[in-house]
Amino acid sequence: MISPLSLSGLFTLDPVRHGDDRGWFSEVFRTDKFREQVADVTFVQENRSLSQQAGTMRGLHFQTPPHAQGKLVSCIAGSLWDVAVDLRPGPSFGKWHAEELSAQNGRQFWIPAGFAHGFCTREPNTVISYKVTAFYAPDHDAGLAWDFGHADGAGVTWPEIANPDTLSAKDRNQPEIETVRGVFA
Ligand SMILES: Cc1cn([C@H]2C[C@H](O)[C@@H](COP(=O)(O)OP(=O)(O)O[C@H]3O[C@@H](C)C(=O)[C@@H](O)[C@H]3O)O2)c(=O)[nH]c1=O
């Protein structure tokens, strides 16, 4: 099932699992269905990271144009809380949406270009996997503070398990949201 979410452009995908005595089989990605029902994009790179400790936080990250990335995110071991923050100009700027992704639920979260992305793991040894629509471009790597404030409302409410001590040095020093206004204009 493919479901649009309240922030335009965001979707969840819950691929069918065909169960039998052995377990299950699932088509976890189909270019044709994705292009027809979600977004007409091409994925060029697939990333995986392992986070050893429950409560590990990564983000909030994005690449700036012309290297902006759409991300199709899933969790292939353990479980995590995944968040997208809208950086597109307009009334949705700064709004966010989070999804629970786990190896068990098989859910995928589509985050188009124009959003910052981050997550926090809920179990030890959690593995996130995501396809992206543009190659890694270190000179266009950008971020937003995990605890950003926002003139029109609060920032992201992270789950209780989220442990800021696990943030990378880079992510401890990401900027406030006002500094990224206009990046995707
Ligand atoms: C993102 C990325 C990093 N790297 C390298 C750079 C560095 O040496 C090492 C770790 O990079 P980072 O600390 O940026 O990894 P990490 O903090 O896991 O970064 C990721 O966070 C999540 C939230 C995202 O949305 C991703 O797009 C990505 O930004 O991997 C690549 O070689 N290719 C890549 O595509």
Side-chain angles (χ1 to χ4, degrees):
M1 193 172 59
I2 296 180
S3 315
L5 298 169
S6 56
L7 281 176
S8 72
L10 295 180
F11 286 82
T12 52
L13 297 85
D14 295 287
V16 174
R17 286 179 171 174
H18 304 276
D20 63 24
D21 294 342
R22 300 165 297 178
W24 52 258
F25 178 94
S26 182
E27 290 184 353
V28 295
F29 181 72
R30 292 237 341 202
T31 299
D32 55 351
K33 289 186 182 166
F34 194 88
R35 287 197 175 143
E36 274 162 29
Q37 297 177 44
V38 180
D40 190 8
V41 295
T42 301
F43 292 99
V44 297
Q45 182 178 325
E46 185 164 351
N47 303 325
R48 256 173 221 183
S49 67
L50 163 76
S51 300
Q52 293 173 337
Q53 203 181 309
T56 297
M57 300 168 71
R58 298 184 191 235
L60 302 155
H61 299 160
F62 59 96
Q63 287 192 170
T64 54
H67 299 277
Q69 293 175 316
K71 299 175 183 171
L72 180 60
V73 186
S74 61
C75 175
I76 56 174
S79 59
L80 60 91
W81 180 92
D82 203 71
V83 64
V85 180
D86 200 336
L87 300 180
R88 299 170 300 185
S92 63
F93 180 79
K95 296 202 183 325
W96 56 276
H97 179 87
E99 285 292 328
E100 296 287 346
L101 308 179
S102 66
Q104 201 171 11
N105 72 13
R107 171 162 282 190
Q108 301 174 2
F109 185 22
W110 165 245
I111 303 169
F115 285 77
H117 170 238
F119 64 93
C120 142
T121 60
R122 289 198 178 275
E123 291 178 50
N125 298 319
T126 287
V127 179
I128 190 171
S129 176
Y130 45 103
K131 295 186 204 309
V132 293
T133 58
F135 292 115
Y136 178 49
D139 293 346
H140 291 75
D141 186 36
L144 168 63
W146 66 277
D147 58 349
F148 73 86
H150 185 230
D152 304 328
V156 171
T157 306
W158 290 78
E160 247 175 52
I161 196 171
N163 178 2
D165 294 344
T166 62
L167 288 164
S168 67
K170 178 178 82 177
D171 287 347
R172 272 184 225 130
N173 291 295
Q174 298 284 18
E176 268 297 327
I177 195 164
E178 286 310 322
T179 67
V180 305
R181 196 185 277 279
V183 168
F184 289 100

